[in-house]
Amino acid sequence: MRQLSRSSRRVLVVFHVVASVGWLGVTLGLLALAVAGVTSDSPAETEAAFRSMKVFGDWLIIPLSLSALVTGLVLALGTPWGLARHRWVLTKFWLTLATAALSAFSLRAGINEVAAQAVAGEEVANKANVIIPPAVSLATYVFITAISVLKPWGPTGRGRRHRRQVVRSAAD
């Protein structure tokens, strides 16, 4: 893929950060609602918390996760960072891909289940299943954010070969 222009890259970075921060914020909201729903003594409050989680899950999780994934992939492929040249970029990609898939197929299913139980007036069967997924997601997003800022680890083997080729080309 050819390199993005400076203005295109800047626009994509803004969209990527907004989608990523939005995804992190929605996950934090899901965790807060899960804790509120699990700890409440009021059936109406529990139902409201779990129904609110369903709205977040149905309307925000998939668009934000896919936006973060796609903009990150385009940025990786359209900038000198590359997708497989630095370990931190590759780690971010795989973690984002995994959490996007888990959010779409597992987190939403769990939210739908507890929302249905709450609407039916039933007790939530396994309360940990409501709190653990958003807590793990939140920890993953914080880790992804940290490696985005710190850029730890070195280049991959492919990144080292690419760097040597660039140095050779510049010397010629």
Side-chain angles (χ1 to χ4, degrees), residues 68-105:
L69 179 65
V70 169
T71 56
L73 186 59
V74 172
L75 282 167
L77 295 173
T79 64
W81 289 110
L83 181 61
R85 292 183 192 154
H86 297 83
R87 286 185 178 94
W88 69 271
V89 176
L90 206 50
T91 302
K92 270 186 68 171
F93 170 72
W94 287 113
L95 285 173
T96 302
L97 183 64
T99 53
L102 287 171
S103 293
F105 300 115

Side-chain angles (χ1 to χ4, degrees), residues 117-141:
Q117 290 171 351
V119 168
E122 301 171 7
E123 183 74 23
V124 174
N126 190 349
K127 295 181 180 188
N129 285 348
V130 179
I131 294 176
I132 291 173
V136 170
S137 294
L138 183 62
T140 304
Y141 306 148

